[in-house]
Amino acid sequence: MEIGRMILTPDDKVILSEGTILSESMIEGLHFWEINTVFIKEPLSDESEMDFSIPETAVQMKFFTEYEDTVNILKDSFAKIRFFKEVPLTATQNLARNCIEPLINTTGVINHINMVRRQDDYTFHHSVNVAIICGVLGKWLGYSGIELKDLILAGLLHDVGKTQIPLEILNKPGKLSPEEMEIMRLHTTRGYRLLRNKPEIPDGVIHGILQHHERFDGSGYPLGVSGDQIHPYAKIIAIADMYDAMTSDRVYHRKNSPFAVVEMIVEEMFNKLDPQIGTVFLNNVRDYLLGNIVELSDGRQAEVIYLGQFMAARPVVVTEDKEYIDLERNKTLSIVQVVKA
């Protein structure tokens, strides 16, 4: 008899992989683990294939339409800020409340963001995505009411200072030179200056804009502050900013899969990012990744069926040809991209 689905111990360690031919000693081992039922592979002429097609659901289509409308409104607002050097606060707050918040409350929102087709206008898509992720993460952290609204607004405006960066640098189709990077880094202080004299803007929003590139170990910018010197909004934006930037296509940077970015965030979490906020983010965002259809590095598509106990664990997948692969054990394969979320 050939095992049709991998067998795990109660603490989720693999006993037998899919495709293993059972022997008497193996069956005795299964009795030892008190495993009384296993899946056996049998050839069936009318065996149905797994559905890896990627039709958009009604919820996704509604989300994508409202998302694009939101991006276009923000694009128009940022163009006015660049010209007039004035942030239209009422319009921006209305955008956060009337457009961003409904997107945050959409079931499966993190998956929908991963599937958005972004051709250009990275800054505007990124600002909307960071606002959405901040809202979702804020809820996971227990934020509500005015605090949550302020956090979403801070996420939406975190890159507003880029409206004061020369377009030839902002839209450069390639990697920035060290000198250009120094100018780009000024977007944090320039965003701060756009809003610092606005008494109606809460301090948390302004600090989120100024400090979102600060790092827990003091290695960030513009001030090089660390730990508790960084406002909680800025710490949340830092994680949302990293997750979205790394899962987005850029002219000079192909996006990483959410699974790869989870590993990157784990690596950064205990020196550059707030570990408590990072842990909450990773423990929750993993739930969205289960069931995703992904493309593997060998070109096959597979469904994610198990994520393991550790935050950075590579998942178990089942391929189109029904091969079960534990990517934590099989390091020769990796997930290239999410095909369907």
Side-chain angles (χ1 to χ4, degrees):
M1 293 183 290
E2 182 180 350
I3 295 293
R5 184 178 297 178
M6 73 166 56
I7 302 171
L8 304 174
T9 65
D11 59 349
D12 297 319
K13 294 180 180 177
V14 177
I15 299 176
L16 296 175
S17 299
E18 184 264 347
T20 301
I21 304 299
L22 277 175
S23 64
E24 289 295 333
S25 61
M26 291 177 186
I27 293 174
E28 290 177 7
L30 294 176
H31 283 305
F32 172 80
W33 285 105
E34 297 184 350
I35 295 172
N36 301 314
T37 303
V38 299
F39 288 87
I40 299 299
K41 187 179 290 186
E42 295 182 8
L44 297 173
S45 58
D46 60 346
E47 185 175 16
S48 60
E49 295 298 319
M50 297 183 69
D51 181 14
F52 284 90
S53 61
I54 52 171
E56 292 180 355
T57 66
V59 172
Q60 284 176 322
M61 292 174 67
K62 181 175 184 291
F63 178 90
F64 295 151
T65 299
E66 294 176 354
Y67 175 94
E68 282 303 319
D69 290 344
T70 303
V71 169
N72 289 332
I73 294 170
L74 185 69
K75 182 178 179 180
D76 188 53
S77 293
F78 272 32
K80 292 175 181 176
I81 296 169
R82 177 174 292 277
F83 184 78
F84 294 109
K85 301 187 185 304
E86 183 76 20
V87 179
L89 291 178
T90 301
T92 307
Q93 288 169 328
N94 287 338
L95 180 66
R97 181 173 60 253
N98 299 327
C99 297
I100 301 291
E101 289 186 28
L103 294 177
I104 290 168
N105 294 324
T106 303
T107 302
V109 59
I110 299 295
N111 281 334
H112 300 331
I113 291 175
N114 290 333
M115 298 306 296
V116 167
R117 296 170 179 82
R118 298 173 236 181
Q119 301 299 324
D120 50 23
D121 296 333
Y122 168 79
T123 298
F124 314 113
H125 284 90
H126 178 62
S127 296
V128 170
N129 290 352
V130 170
I132 292 172
I133 296 169
C134 281
V136 174
L137 178 51
K139 286 186 172 183
W140 292 338
L141 291 166
Y143 284 78
S144 61
I146 297 300
E147 277 193 325
L148 183 61
K149 292 179 185 297
D150 288 347
L151 173 59
I152 295 167
L153 182 63
L156 186 63
L157 291 175
H158 81 286
D159 273 348
V160 70
K162 288 184 178 179
T163 63
Q164 308 306 302
I165 300 297
L167 288 173
E168 60 267 23
I169 293 178
L170 191 65
N171 298 329
K172 182 180 178 180
K175 201 164 187 177
L176 300 179
S177 68
E179 294 78 15
E180 291 168 333
M181 183 59 73
E182 284 302 311
I183 294 173
M184 181 67 85
R185 285 186 169 193
L186 295 175
H187 77 276
T188 54
T189 52
R190 291 182 178 179
Y192 168 76
R193 287 171 185 163
L194 282 170
L195 292 166
R196 64 180 174 178
N197 294 323
K198 305 289 185 182
E200 62 271 44
I201 292 291
D203 285 344
V205 174
I206 294 176
H207 280 89
I209 293 167
L210 177 65
Q211 295 185 325
H212 68 275
H213 280 293
E214 300 288 2
R215 292 298 176 256
F216 208 64
D217 60 0
S219 64
Y221 66 89
L223 303 176
V225 294
S226 62
D228 292 339
Q229 295 174 301
I230 306 172
H231 194 280
Y233 288 2
K235 295 176 182 178
I236 294 170
I237 294 171
I239 291 173
D241 179 49
M242 176 181 287
Y243 179 82
D244 185 67
M246 297 303 293
T247 55
S248 298
D249 275 323
R250 307 285 294 275
V251 173
Y252 55 88
H253 172 263
R254 185 180 178 186
K255 68 180 180 180
N256 296 283
S257 76
F259 302 90
V261 176
V262 164
E263 293 186 53
M264 294 176 195
I265 291 177
V266 168
E267 292 175 4
E268 300 275 286
M269 204 167 68
F270 296 99
N271 53 6
K272 297 187 182 301
L273 303 174
D274 185 293
Q276 181 179 357
I277 297 173
T279 299
V280 170
F281 177 74
L282 294 175
N283 281 339
N284 284 275
V285 81
R286 280 160 44 90
D287 293 341
Y288 285 86
L289 305 180
L290 193 64
N292 282 189
I293 305 300
V294 298
E295 180 186 340
L296 301 178
S297 53
D298 65 359
R300 288 184 293 173
Q301 291 187 7
E303 180 182 355
V304 177
I305 60 170
Y306 177 70
L307 289 168
Q309 294 180 329
F310 303 104
M311 289 181 292
R314 290 151 57 90
V316 176
V317 299
V318 55
T319 65
E320 296 168 289
D321 47 2
K322 301 194 177 175
E323 179 184 356
Y324 288 77
I325 305 171
D326 184 350
L327 296 176
E328 190 66 48
R329 291 172 174 267
N330 187 345
K331 300 290 188 179
T332 62
L333 287 175
S334 61
I335 293 172
V336 175
Q337 64 175 333
V338 175
V339 177
K340 177 184 176 183

